[in-house]
Amino acid sequence: MKTQSFGVHFTIRADKIKDGKAPVYACVTVSKKRSYIALKQTIDVKNWDNARGILRGNREEVKKVNNYLQEVRVAIATCFQQLQLKGKMVSADAIKNAFLGTAEEVYTLKTLIDYHNETAVSSLKWSTLKHYYVTQRYLEKFLQEKFKAKDLYLTELNYKFINDFETFLRNHQPKDHQKPLNNNGIMKHLIRLKKMVHLAVRLEWITKDPFINYKMKILKVTREHLSAHELSMIETKKFPVERIDMVRDLFVFCCYTGLAYVDVIKLTPDNIVEMDKGEFWVRTFRQKTEAPVNMPLLPKAMEIIRKYKGNIRSEASGTIFPVISNQKVNAYLKEIADLCGIKKNITFHLARHTFATTVTLSNGVPIETVSRMLGHTKIATTQIYAKVLEKKISEDMAALKKKLAC
């Protein structure tokens, strides 16, 4: 919460004076914002001390009014303290509502995030939900740096808040091993915030969408993949260290199947089905989308499966391959790239891109078939990979040269 100043002062309104008398108002101030409470008390204007906020005089009637005003002051201060103790957002209006007994539920950014995360557990995969927790941590850092607060009212969210949050993310310098966020990484955090804000609108916690005039600036990114030559270099390289050799096999297997790390690491012998004519298929479901994946295994993929048949670590986990974390796999892949002299930033997901681009599409496999094998729910997702490769351009231009030479 913000460090807030608080005060109560009693005043009268000149426009309400009638026959020399005026109603008294309690002016509640919180962090320079005011709210007025009309009190059931009318006083003689000529006896009112506006600077001190009390009546002048020693008469019994004057003492009675001033005692009443003191009781109101204590009651308002108590409302302020109770809101703080309950962890509620404190404002002049919130104190007024609490004093008058008309307080309504006050929704804050933290309330929204907590509600979203609690309700999303049943609908989002952990691999997706964990990114919302990262966005939450960035928002907490932003609130502390920008507002010196731990929370804000949802009604305080506006275009400026979103724009300032984007600026914060662009200027944020991580103090650990992480790299600064790139443009699309920043946009992903804003997309998550936007989804949560739209949830608040649907819940009628706020009436206005602060994102209504905000435009996302997502840059088109070329999906990196291995060329056929680079894939061959990794396949044929001899690695004396067992852990490196195993990660290479896992990576190459996915280059020929298009499976993501989370799907391949959970593969069991039951997912490999023998079809007619001795052909083997992999049958599984993508964890990310729960879309079915059914595809025949290429000979190189089957060769790797046979290599790990009877592996002690695989049998212990009941999986085809020994279980290893995604973080370790990506760390070892960097060693593999160095040993093979490949300058590209190789991550495990690069295998999926390589399957889509180098292994299938560039060899004439129809995009509809590739989409089914990748387990994509929309063909538009697969079209990201359907770019014209330099190899194909070279072949097409060579064919054109021959025709022009005739």
Side-chain angles (χ1 to χ4, degrees):
M1 300 291 183
K2 294 180 182 178
T3 302
Q4 295 167 307
S5 60
F6 165 73
V8 180
H9 180 71
F10 298 104
T11 186
I12 61 173
R13 287 177 53 177
D15 61 327
K16 297 289 184 179
I17 298 174
K18 186 176 182 180
D19 298 328
K21 292 193 174 186
V24 180
Y25 288 80
C27 175
V28 181
T29 305
V30 176
S31 298
K32 299 181 180 180
K33 293 185 178 180
R34 297 174 180 176
S35 187
Y36 291 89
I37 304 173
L39 303 179
K40 297 178 181 179
Q41 189 68 53
T42 303
I43 54 89
D44 289 324
V45 175
K46 65 179 182 296
N47 294 327
W48 181 250
D49 187 337
N50 199 55
R52 297 167 62 196
I54 60 173
L55 274 175
R56 291 186 293 264
N58 294 314
R59 289 179 294 116
E60 193 62 33
E61 184 181 339
V62 170
K63 290 180 180 179
K64 188 176 179 180
V65 171
N66 287 340
N67 286 339
Y68 167 72
L69 295 180
Q70 182 59 26
E71 289 173 1
V72 170
R73 185 188 302 277
V74 171
I76 292 174
T78 301
C79 291
F80 171 71
Q81 292 169 351
Q82 287 178 343
L83 288 172
Q84 284 189 317
L85 289 172
K86 291 177 181 179
K88 301 285 188 179
M89 288 295 293
V90 180
S91 71
D93 286 339
I95 294 172
K96 174 182 177 179
N97 291 334
F99 176 79
L100 295 175
T102 58
E104 297 179 355
E105 183 66 34
V106 178
Y107 298 105
T108 68
L109 183 58
K110 185 179 184 303
T111 306
L112 173 63
I113 294 172
D114 289 344
Y115 178 80
H116 171 270
N117 292 344
E118 287 170 9
T119 56
V121 169
S122 59
S123 59
L124 295 180
K125 299 293 183 184
W126 167 247
S127 57
T128 300
L129 187 58
K130 67 181 181 181
H131 294 304
Y132 279 90
Y133 291 121
V134 177
T135 300
Q136 180 179 0
R137 289 196 292 272
Y138 275 117
L139 280 166
E140 288 170 353
K141 290 178 182 177
F142 170 63
L143 290 177
Q144 188 60 47
E145 181 177 304
K146 181 72 175 178
F147 302 97
K148 300 296 185 289
K150 293 182 180 180
D151 205 355
L152 285 179
Y153 288 119
L154 285 180
T155 52
E156 293 184 81
L157 302 188
N158 52 27
Y159 180 89
K160 185 177 185 302
F161 177 92
I162 298 165
N163 201 55
D164 288 346
F165 182 47
E166 178 188 341
T167 302
F168 166 80
L169 292 174
R170 292 192 184 281
N171 295 332
H172 182 67
Q173 295 294 326
K175 295 180 180 178
D176 52 17
H177 64 283
Q178 295 176 328
K179 296 179 180 178
L181 291 167
N182 60 25
N183 179 81
N184 288 3
I186 291 166
M187 291 301 112
K188 286 179 181 178
H189 287 297
L190 288 165
I191 287 170
R192 293 183 200 112
L193 176 59
K194 183 178 181 179
K195 287 181 178 179
M196 290 188 285
V197 167
H198 283 180
L199 172 62
V201 174
R202 292 193 297 273
L203 290 168
E204 297 182 354
W205 288 2
I206 51 175
T207 56
K208 185 178 179 181
D209 177 12
F211 275 91
I212 195 165
N213 294 316
Y214 182 82
K215 304 296 182 184
M216 296 287 176
K217 312 176 189 73
I218 298 175
L219 303 178
K220 290 185 178 180
V221 178
T222 302
R223 293 293 179 96
E224 192 77 272
H225 64 277
L226 294 179
S227 66
H229 175 66
E230 289 167 334
L231 177 57
S232 177
M233 287 172 64
I234 292 177
E235 285 184 71
T236 57
K237 183 74 174 180
K238 300 295 182 182
F239 298 108
V241 181
E242 183 182 351
R243 62 178 171 82
I244 299 293
D245 189 63
M246 189 272 286
V247 169
R248 182 269 306 276
D249 291 338
L250 199 62
F251 180 78
V252 171
F253 178 79
C254 289
C255 286
Y256 286 103
T257 60
L259 292 174
Y261 161 81
V262 69
D263 300 320
V264 74
I265 209 68
K266 292 183 177 180
L267 277 184
T268 69
D270 292 338
N271 296 124
I272 309 302
V273 181
E274 186 173 4
M275 307 294 282
D276 296 337
K277 301 179 182 178
E279 188 176 54
F280 287 89
W281 283 52
V282 59
R283 295 191 182 280
T284 186
F285 290 86
R286 284 203 71 195
Q287 180 172 303
K288 183 177 180 180
T289 61
E290 296 185 354
V293 176
N294 300 298
M295 60 180 293
L297 288 167
L298 294 170
K300 290 186 178 181
M302 275 306 303
E303 185 181 325
I304 294 172
I305 287 178
R306 294 189 184 99
K307 178 178 177 179
Y308 286 88
K309 190 173 183 180
N311 181 279
I312 297 175
R313 289 174 58 196
S314 298
E315 290 184 344
S317 60
T319 55
I320 291 176
F321 299 104
V323 175
I324 182 173
S325 72
N326 195 18
Q327 289 82 0
K328 286 186 177 179
V329 166
N330 284 326
Y332 296 156
L333 283 173
K334 287 179 173 33
E335 291 186 46
I336 290 171
D338 290 338
L339 292 169
C340 293
I342 297 174
K343 302 299 182 183
K344 292 177 181 175
N345 179 30
I346 298 182
T347 62
F348 197 85
H349 206 65
L350 194 72
R352 189 167 167 81
H353 300 172
T354 300
F355 171 78
T357 307
T358 304
V359 175
T360 55
L361 290 172
S362 63
N363 285 311
V365 179
I367 191 170
E368 295 81 5
T369 303
V370 176
S371 185
R372 287 287 300 275
M373 290 191 293
L374 288 172
H376 285 163
T377 55
K378 296 184 294 185
I379 199 166
T381 308
T382 319
Q383 288 172 335
I384 296 172
Y385 302 102
K387 53 194 172 187
V388 182
L389 305 177
E390 289 183 1
K391 173 186 174 183
K392 188 70 169 61
I393 293 174
S394 178
E395 291 173 352
D396 291 345
M397 291 303 291
L400 178 60
K401 286 179 183 178
K402 288 182 180 180
K403 287 182 181 181
L404 294 175
C406 294

